[in-house]
Amino acid sequence: MAEPSSSLPPSKEELIQFIKRLGTYLALKMSNLQNLDPRSVGAIAGLAVAIIFTYRLMRSPSPPPRRQPKRQAPTTSSTAISTQSNITLMPSGVYSSSEDLRAQNAVDEFFQPVKPTLGQIVRQKLNEGRKVTCRLLGVILEESSPEELQKQATVKSSVLDVLLEITKFCDLYLMERVIDDESEKNVLLALENAGIFTSGGLLKDKVLFCSTENGRTSFVRQLEPDWHIDTNPEIVSQLARFIKYQLHVSPVKAEWTAGKVLSSPSLEHFFGCV
């Protein structure tokens, strides 16, 4: 027995395939919605409406058959012919249902939500901010104190993908208080081994070191970023008047009243990567 789809009218078969191809194209465009101008968004919306309208027309029921006048009881031969005719006509209803199902599936596939990429999430979370400053200890590095950096520095594997996306989209500056030159070398080596200077494109000149916590505050104020990320609540509080957005990384959520300060257990958690 032939597949139902092979008996579909060519025009409707082509329409279903067109809806699928157009749906795939529009889904791709919708995933890049933030990069489209208003006219493009309007065009996409218009095409979506056209798909629904076309689909409804395609599914519109045919007009009911005209009522036939009553006839006398059929003979045995005419009954056999009528039964054979009904058997012949039954598959068309099956094909019609299959056609409607395929058309419905094509429309459903188009309207399925498109999962945003990590890059899109980063841009959305940062509110399109283009300059970001971030401390290293406790955010990018596993270590949490300057004393630990004298021995080694380790980049968190869980934060690497987010950090690379931020470097692609933003002008990123990393900064930390260190005790000696050896600590600086350990930090730079860890960042280099993690691919931050190659895959991410971060310049070594944008990794800043200071000897005091106030030095980090001065760096941030001079750079005037859109976002600053820190673990020290005192620094976050001091910068609240000057920086548009801040992210306080802490396992304990703090309530901030001054400025637009958000809290998160980690940088990767803030971007939904855990």
Side-chain angles (χ1 to χ4, degrees):
M1 180 177 177
E3 292 294 330
S5 60
S6 62
S7 298
L8 290 176
S11 59
K12 291 190 176 182
E13 174 69 22
E14 293 175 359
L15 178 58
I16 291 174
Q17 295 302 324
F18 171 73
I19 289 175
K20 285 188 175 182
R21 291 195 298 270
L22 185 59
T24 302
Y25 171 76
L26 293 180
L28 178 61
K29 289 297 183 182
M30 292 294 288
S31 66
N32 297 321
L33 187 60
Q34 294 181 349
N35 298 327
L36 298 179
D37 55 40
R39 289 181 296 179
S40 298
V41 175
I44 290 176
L47 285 172
V49 172
I51 289 175
I52 298 174
F53 181 72
T54 303
Y55 169 66
R56 289 185 178 275
L57 285 178
M58 186 174 62
R59 292 196 63 187
S60 297
S62 57
R66 297 172 59 184
R67 187 173 180 178
Q68 299 292 333
K70 293 184 178 180
R71 296 181 179 179
Q72 294 180 352
T75 62
T76 304
S77 60
S78 63
T79 302
I81 295 174
S82 176
T83 303
Q84 183 178 2
S85 176
N86 289 338
I87 294 175
T88 305
L89 293 175
M90 281 180 62
S92 65
V94 176
Y95 297 160
S96 178
S97 298
S98 175
E99 175 188 342
D100 288 346
L101 180 60
R102 294 185 64 215
Q104 180 67 54
N105 290 339
V107 174
D108 289 344
E109 287 176 9
F110 166 68
F111 284 104
Q112 283 183 349
V114 179
K115 185 178 180 180
T117 64
L118 179 57
Q120 292 171 331
I121 294 174
V122 168
R123 292 194 292 271
Q124 180 183 12
K125 283 283 191 177
L126 295 180
N127 293 323
E128 301 296 326
R130 287 293 185 172
K131 182 181 286 188
V132 177
T133 55
C134 177
R135 85 165 302 179
L136 286 159
L137 286 174
V139 180
I140 307 300
L141 302 178
E142 297 280 1
E143 291 74 23
S144 57
S145 68
E147 289 74 20
E148 294 178 81
L149 296 180
Q150 291 180 292
K151 298 178 181 179
Q152 66 177 15
T154 308
V155 175
K156 292 182 178 181
S157 58
S158 58
V159 81
L160 189 57
D161 289 340
V162 171
L163 187 61
L164 292 177
E165 288 297 334
I166 294 176
T167 58
K168 292 177 184 177
F169 177 70
C170 301
D171 185 14
L172 177 66
Y173 291 81
L174 302 177
M175 53 190 65
E176 192 49 66
R177 176 172 72 91
V178 294
I179 296 175
D180 52 24
D181 293 341
E182 190 65 25
S183 299
E184 293 185 18
K185 293 179 182 179
N186 290 338
V187 170
L188 292 174
L189 181 60
L191 295 175
E192 184 174 3
N193 290 339
I196 305 300
F197 300 129
T198 53
S199 301
L202 179 70
L203 299 177
K204 290 186 178 181
D205 292 341
K206 293 185 178 181
V207 182
L208 310 177
F209 299 98
C210 55
S211 57
T212 65
E213 292 289 274
N214 288 335
R216 188 161 75 252
T217 304
S218 298
F219 282 155
V220 176
R221 291 192 59 179
Q222 291 174 18
L223 291 169
E224 298 181 341
D226 299 302
W227 279 83
H228 177 63
I229 304 168
D230 213 297
T231 60
N232 190 328
E234 294 183 4
I235 289 182
V236 172
S237 180
Q238 293 172 13
L239 293 172
R241 295 181 298 164
F242 309 102
I243 307 303
K244 187 175 182 180
Y245 299 105
Q246 289 191 89
L247 177 62
H248 178 223
V249 176
S250 172
V252 180
K253 185 176 181 179
E255 296 295 334
W256 297 93
T257 56
K260 294 184 178 180
V261 180
L262 304 177
S263 296
S264 178
S266 65
L267 184 63
E268 55 271 33
H269 188 277
F270 178 70
F271 291 104
C273 295
V274 292

